[in-house]
Amino acid sequence: MDSFDLSVLRRAVVWLEQGSGVTLYTVVATWGSSPRPPGSLLALRDDGEVEGSVSGGCIEDDLLANPVVGRGDGVCADRVCSVLTYGATQAESARLGLPCGGTLRLVREPLRDPGWLVQLLQRCDQGERLVRDLDLATGAVRLRTARGREPLHFDGGRLLAPFGPAWRLLLIGAGQLSRYVAQMAGGLGFQVLVCDPRPGYTHDWQAEGVSLLPGMPDDAVRNARPDAHTAVVALSHDPVLDDLALIAALNSEAFYVGALGSQATNERRRARLLSLGLEATQLGRLDGPIGLSIGSRTPPEIALSLLAQLVALRNGIQVRQHSERACA
């Protein structure tokens, strides 16, 4: 599964290589309620084919109806970047169906050469985080390594848009559940790292963009240096692998540390970790059972509940831990 906005760029490359004309739209600012955040992308092929989204559909319809001039801040020629504003008036918000009087600003960018797109995608696939620097006056694009967690920036003439993994998910264990988590997490914008030294578990991984880490899990956690944008989740169900990895994770800055298992299993785990020298205050950060309470039993359902919890925390929403899970 691909990251949503990178998939827009992948489709744009295919269209350009097929000889089609392509226009890229980037959300650069929103006011009030908006269905899509800044940085969201939409690619529009010259025959009306669409990839991606900048709204709930209302603005997409208007872009299809007005692919060149649009409702812009001035006339835009076919090969010149421009800025489009939607919902500037209450009447226009009502006409377009924008919620709660929302206003949306887009950069319209005719794509010419797929070169920078191919380079950006290749480097993101290798785990790099980049900033795309677009000069609206010339259409020139420059790529550079991101400085930390740079946000999107637009000053009217220059767009700095970050791409690549801003959030990481380190999984301990490469079993069936980890495969479902990895497949779903990629599409949610997580860079996925997996460590499992057990023979027979890391064969035939299909999840695109997943990095398999060598060595023991506690070493893998320390080498990954989890920060405030990293989650570490123990899914091996093997105390030999999970416990030391959890100790390393709980001594890091990871925004989330969790472990698979029922309430009883996690109580036994907490007792072991205390006996291994972990402080009670550190242990208080350990989440288990993992995931939101959706009645999950199967591996795909458990993966869904875990990722729903991680996305909520990433978005600044505190969620309640669920009741006992059936998994022992």
Side-chain angles (χ1 to χ4, degrees):
M1 184 179 289
D2 202 2
S3 174
F4 180 76
D5 289 316
L6 288 181
S7 70
V8 175
L9 301 185
R10 294 183 199 279
R11 180 61 62 184
V13 170
V14 172
W15 289 343
L16 288 170
E17 291 177 342
Q18 292 173 344
S20 298
V22 182
T23 302
L24 183 67
Y25 295 88
T26 304
V27 178
V28 294
T30 63
W31 296 269
S33 297
S34 173
R36 297 282 284 138
S40 300
L41 301 176
L42 179 145
L44 176 61
R45 198 167 67 183
D46 53 9
D47 63 356
E49 191 80 13
V50 172
E51 183 78 16
S53 174
V54 294
S55 76
C58 50
I59 291 177
E60 285 82 351
D61 291 342
D62 196 71
L63 293 175
L64 285 167
N66 303 280
V68 176
V69 177
R71 297 186 58 82
D73 302 338
V75 177
C76 53
D78 188 43
R79 297 175 67 83
V80 176
C81 298
S82 58
V83 179
L84 313 179
T85 301
Y86 285 89
T89 67
Q90 189 173 13
E92 186 178 51
S93 294
R95 180 183 69 82
L96 292 168
L98 290 172
C100 303
T103 303
L104 190 70
R105 181 164 291 170
L106 308 175
V107 164
R108 174 190 177 276
E109 176 187 358
L111 298 180
R112 302 157 185 155
D113 182 357
W116 71 263
L117 288 162
V118 172
Q119 183 185 358
L120 184 148
L121 291 167
Q122 289 175 343
R123 293 173 67 178
C124 287
D125 287 343
Q126 294 169 0
E128 283 192 69
R129 184 160 172 79
L130 305 173
V131 169
R132 181 174 79 98
D133 186 342
L134 169 66
D135 184 336
L136 270 67
T138 64
V141 172
R142 183 173 66 93
L143 301 178
R144 63 167 173 80
T145 301
R147 304 184 186 101
R149 306 289 174 177
E150 286 188 68
L152 181 142
H153 175 76
F154 179 63
D155 62 9
R158 187 179 177 197
L159 170 61
L160 303 177
F163 288 89
W167 298 85
R168 295 187 299 168
L169 174 57
L170 173 52
L171 303 176
I172 307 304
Q176 186 183 37
L177 173 57
S178 293
R179 292 174 186 250
Y180 281 108
V181 172
Q183 289 168 4
M184 297 180 188
L188 294 169
F190 287 95
Q191 178 190 16
V192 182
L193 314 171
V194 179
C195 182
D196 194 329
R198 298 173 297 181
Y201 276 86
T202 56
H203 65 90
D204 195 31
W205 266 73
Q206 300 297 322
E208 184 177 349
V210 173
S211 298
L212 297 176
L213 305 181
M216 291 299 291
D218 54 327
D219 291 329
V221 172
R222 282 189 287 269
N223 291 336
R225 298 180 179 179
D227 58 14
H229 291 77
T230 305
V232 181
V233 186
L235 300 178
S236 80
H237 234 330
D238 183 341
V240 175
L241 301 181
D242 289 345
D243 287 2
L244 293 180
L246 289 171
I247 290 174
L250 291 168
N251 277 290
S252 75
E253 297 180 3
F255 79 91
Y256 176 86
V257 181
L260 178 68
S262 66
Q263 191 68 44
T265 297
N266 275 283
E267 289 304 321
R268 293 193 294 271
R269 175 180 290 115
R270 287 182 170 85
R272 289 197 307 271
L273 295 179
L274 284 172
S275 70
L276 291 172
L278 198 68
E279 298 290 336
T281 53
Q282 296 171 307
L283 191 59
R285 296 181 57 212
L286 177 62
D287 185 42
I290 56 174
L292 300 185
S293 180
I294 60 172
S296 51
R297 293 294 183 269
T298 67
E301 291 174 345
I302 297 171
L304 176 63
S305 70
L306 169 62
L307 289 168
Q309 181 182 17
L310 294 182
V311 169
L313 293 172
R314 183 176 71 179
N315 291 338
I317 299 173
Q318 295 298 317
V319 292
R320 292 184 302 173
Q321 295 184 4
H322 59 65
S323 57
E324 173 127 358
R325 184 182 299 290
C327 184

